[in-house]
Amino acid sequence: MRDYYNVKINLPGGIASPGYLKDILTAAWHANVRKVRFGSRQQLLMSVFYEDMRFLEKDLKKSGIFYEMNTDRQPNIVSSYCGEEVFRTGQWLNANEYHSVLDTFDYDPALKINISDSNQSFTPFFTGNLNFISSPEPHFWYLYVRNKQTNTVYKWNDLVYTNEIGRLAKVIEDCMLSGDHCEEESLYDLVKKKIRYVSQPASSDLELPSFSLPYYEGFNRYESRTWLGLYRRDELFPIEFLLDVCALCLKTRIGEICITPWKSLVIKGIEDHHRTDWSNILGKHNINVRHAANELAWQTEDHNEDGASLKNDLIHYFDKHDMRTFGLCFGIQTKAKSEVFGSVLIKKRPLLRMGELAMFHVYDIYYTENFNPNSRTQLLFEKGLYKIHVAAQLEKLCRRFNNQRSREHFKVAPPETDDAKLAIKIVALIYQCPDCLTVYDPEYGDAAQNIAPGTAFEDLPETYCCPTCDASKTEMTATELNKSTLSELPVS
């Protein structure tokens, strides 16, 4: 088997001009690369065999295109620009504002930097080390800092002005990478001594928007034009197809191609009279643009066939069992220090090692607080699962999420009364399974398990379980049941 290099080319903010992308793809084609992929940080990725690498290096250097081989010392700047206009929320942040921020970076960051609209749920907020998020104050941004290889995020004391972001980020990065000033207060004090920048106090905290992943594939109307979302099940895009995409963008005066954190493309501004041309390109290369929504809501690590294989197995299970996953997104983490974005996280970990080699693996399932993928609080759902059991446990967690959402939105109307009746409120405790909503009511017991009526929940054996889905007694939650009655009152 021949050796190969993993090549990464940053596309700051997930924005690529068709001409620039065409130059990269042409160089890759000359190096015998036939397919490329896009990463979770909106970068371009390709695998190049070692004997062909010299051709790619020559062409990229000739075009002045920066690249890295088998490293990620300079992570790409991530932004939510890919959803601007097509998933607009009406806030002050627009295309020009994103470009103003990106123009302030006159260096290649060594830390991960995210630029996010606070009112969207399409791109992650906190997967960077420096996370700039739009505030309610026009042209000012929150900054949330996360030290490398940690899960702790803290808010910067100031809101940062748009045109100061790149300059401030450089100073913060230098201080953080020096290793001496990584604590919250000491870092802030040191930075304030080194730089003066336009700001205002960050008096309030960021409010996370509720999560709802928009359907981002296919032809979709917005305003008087159309945008096109492109997703590939294996994450691989044929270079011949992408070269045709670039050529049509140049022909129809579309100046930007957007890369999303979901490893897909978004092309905005398609005029109605060019819609047929785009359909013809899709047909020419046999590109499908209507995958199921539950297939799109997944994040896997870059260059990771193990995670991609597990994802495909789980999607097949979801389809077979007709599972409802609306409102959730899933991340698969197979490496301890990698970062994926999701409201449900499947983490692979070694159980048995032989020296440095892992001989056997199990899987842990976590979900984020309120099932919001931008929450940094991860709650354990199941631990130490064999791979064959992961799908069934995910189905159980999805039921819990759907039941929780139903309870939050379901309101019971008060009983009707008239002048001759009075509602008497009698409250009793029942115990409900969080997964299937089956109830144990002490008044009635559980005849199927030989539990007599009047048996208190505390007196049930420790082996008692939900009669429907076998959830354990310890998982069942106490819930108030209103057993109101109507009593007749004398009419005066």
Side-chain angles (χ1 to χ4, degrees):
M1 183 175 181
R2 296 185 295 174
D3 292 331
Y4 62 90
Y5 295 102
N6 288 326
V7 176
K8 184 203 71 168
I9 298 174
N10 285 338
L11 304 172
I15 306 168
S17 71
Y20 181 73
L21 188 57
K22 179 183 177 182
D23 289 343
I24 298 173
L25 297 171
T26 302
W29 183 267
H30 290 158
N32 294 315
V33 179
R34 294 297 177 257
K35 293 183 179 181
V36 298
R37 65 182 76 203
F38 299 94
S40 56
R41 289 196 65 82
Q42 300 169 295
Q43 70 276 53
L44 176 66
L45 306 171
M46 65 182 86
S47 297
V48 186
F49 288 116
Y50 76 94
E51 63 264 31
D52 298 320
M53 188 64 209
R54 65 184 186 277
F55 302 115
L56 181 63
E57 285 186 292
K58 179 182 176 181
D59 288 345
L60 292 181
K61 288 178 179 177
K62 183 178 179 180
S63 300
I65 297 171
F66 172 81
Y67 62 94
E68 290 185 271
M69 295 188 301
N70 295 335
T71 62
D72 192 19
R73 295 191 182 94
Q74 295 178 327
N76 195 40
I77 299 174
V78 167
S79 83
S80 54
Y81 181 84
C82 52
E84 196 273 333
E85 280 194 299
V86 295
F87 304 131
R88 276 299 303 271
T89 56
Q91 210 187 19
W92 54 267
L93 186 55
N94 57 35
N96 290 334
E97 202 79 23
Y98 282 105
H99 284 290
S100 294
V101 172
L102 294 171
D103 287 344
T104 65
F105 287 89
D106 57 1
Y107 72 103
D108 294 318
L111 292 181
K112 296 177 180 177
I113 295 176
N114 289 18
I115 311 294
S116 302
D117 181 350
S118 62
N119 284 348
Q120 56 82 41
S121 57
F122 189 55
T123 61
F125 285 170
F126 302 120
T127 58
N129 304 115
L130 302 180
N131 303 282
F132 293 93
I133 304 168
S134 62
S135 79
E137 295 293 329
H139 313 297
F140 282 89
W141 301 71
Y142 291 107
L143 168 58
Y144 283 82
V145 179
R146 180 176 62 86
N147 289 327
K148 296 183 72 172
Q149 306 300 336
T150 71
N151 195 44
T152 303
V153 175
Y154 59 85
K155 185 183 71 175
W156 199 250
N157 292 345
D158 305 320
L159 298 179
V160 183
Y161 184 59
T162 291
N163 293 342
E164 303 279 25
I165 286 179
R167 198 164 65 95
L168 175 62
K170 179 66 169 68
V171 175
I172 296 177
E173 178 177 299
D174 290 343
C175 294
M176 291 179 67
L177 295 181
S178 70
D180 298 328
H181 301 277
C182 290
E183 297 300 322
E184 180 176 351
E185 293 301 326
S186 61
L187 178 62
Y188 179 78
D189 292 340
L190 181 62
V191 169
K192 293 293 284 187
K193 291 177 182 177
K194 289 179 174 288
I195 185 175
R196 297 180 64 184
Y197 55 91
V198 179
S199 65
Q200 58 177 275
S203 55
S204 60
D205 289 332
L206 170 71
E207 293 186 12
L208 294 179
S210 58
F211 176 77
S212 178
L213 180 66
Y215 190 86
Y216 58 81
E217 198 193 18
F219 289 102
N220 299 273
R221 293 288 295 176
Y222 74 107
E223 298 176 351
S224 61
R225 294 172 293 175
T226 296
W227 63 268
L228 170 62
L230 297 170
Y231 162 85
R232 300 297 289 159
R233 180 170 287 163
D234 60 2
E235 301 176 358
L236 294 171
F237 288 81
I239 286 183
E240 288 181 296
F241 166 65
L242 293 178
L243 285 172
D244 280 351
V245 167
C246 292
L248 186 53
C249 284
L250 292 169
K251 177 183 176 181
T252 59
R253 299 180 181 275
I254 293 175
E256 295 171 334
I257 298 173
C258 295
I259 291 83
T260 82
W262 304 96
K263 306 183 180 184
S264 61
L265 299 181
V266 169
I267 300 162
K268 309 175 191 177
I270 298 174
E271 302 290 347
D272 288 347
H273 55 283
H274 292 137
R275 171 76 177 267
T276 301
D277 295 329
W278 286 99
S279 294
N280 289 340
I281 284 182
L282 298 179
K284 174 184 175 182
H285 296 279
N286 194 31
I287 303 295
N288 177 31
V289 291
R290 281 298 171 190
H291 293 89
N294 67 4
E295 186 172 351
L296 303 180
W298 289 81
Q299 282 253 320
T300 58
E301 297 148 331
D302 299 332
H303 290 304
N304 191 292
E305 298 303 325
D306 188 17
S309 175
L310 177 59
K311 165 191 165 182
N312 290 333
D313 290 344
L314 295 174
I315 290 171
H316 179 73
Y317 181 95
F318 285 8
D319 286 340
K320 180 179 178 181
H321 291 80
D322 200 19
M323 284 174 53
R324 177 178 172 83
T325 62
F326 177 78
L328 293 172
C329 62
F330 303 83
I332 297 177
Q333 179 180 324
T334 65
K335 302 174 184 176
K337 295 184 179 181
S338 67
E339 295 172 347
V340 290
F341 174 65
S343 46
V344 176
L345 299 170
I346 303 106
K347 298 185 179 184
K348 179 180 179 180
R349 62 180 170 88
L351 187 64
L352 179 63
R353 286 187 177 275
M354 185 73 70
E356 294 296 321
L357 183 64
M359 303 297 293
F360 188 71
H361 293 86
V362 291
Y363 296 83
D364 304 329
I365 299 177
Y366 292 81
Y367 62 97
T368 54
E369 187 175 27
N370 297 323
F371 290 94
N372 189 319
N374 279 313
S375 171
R376 302 304 293 180
T377 303
Q378 297 179 6
L379 306 173
L380 179 65
F381 179 67
E382 286 292 346
K383 188 175 182 179
L385 298 171
Y386 297 142
K387 186 176 181 179
I388 195 173
H389 297 143
V390 171
Q393 291 303 316
L394 285 179
E395 182 179 14
K396 183 178 179 181
L397 182 56
C398 289
R399 287 203 307 267
R400 175 175 293 188
F401 167 74
N402 291 323
N403 291 336
Q404 175 180 307
R405 175 170 281 192
S406 298
R407 289 195 298 269
E408 289 172 352
H409 290 85
F410 183 69
K411 303 293 183 183
V412 179
E416 294 183 3
T417 61
D418 54 37
D419 293 338
K421 294 183 178 180
L422 174 67
I424 302 175
K425 185 177 182 182
I426 304 173
V427 177
L429 279 181
I430 60 173
Y431 298 83
Q432 191 169 44
C433 173
D435 297 322
C436 66
L437 300 186
T438 298
V439 167
Y440 175 78
D441 189 336
E443 182 179 350
Y444 300 103
D446 185 348
Q449 301 193 60
N450 297 319
I451 305 298
T455 303
F457 185 77
E458 294 77 9
D459 295 334
L460 293 175
E462 294 305 314
T463 55
Y464 180 81
C465 60
C466 171
T468 302
C469 71
D470 294 329
S472 66
K473 173 185 174 182
T474 56
E475 292 185 59
M476 302 184 77
T477 56
T479 305
E480 286 189 355
L481 178 66
N482 185 356
K483 297 185 176 181
S484 300
T485 62
L486 294 178
S487 298
E488 297 289 341
L489 291 179
V491 179
S492 58

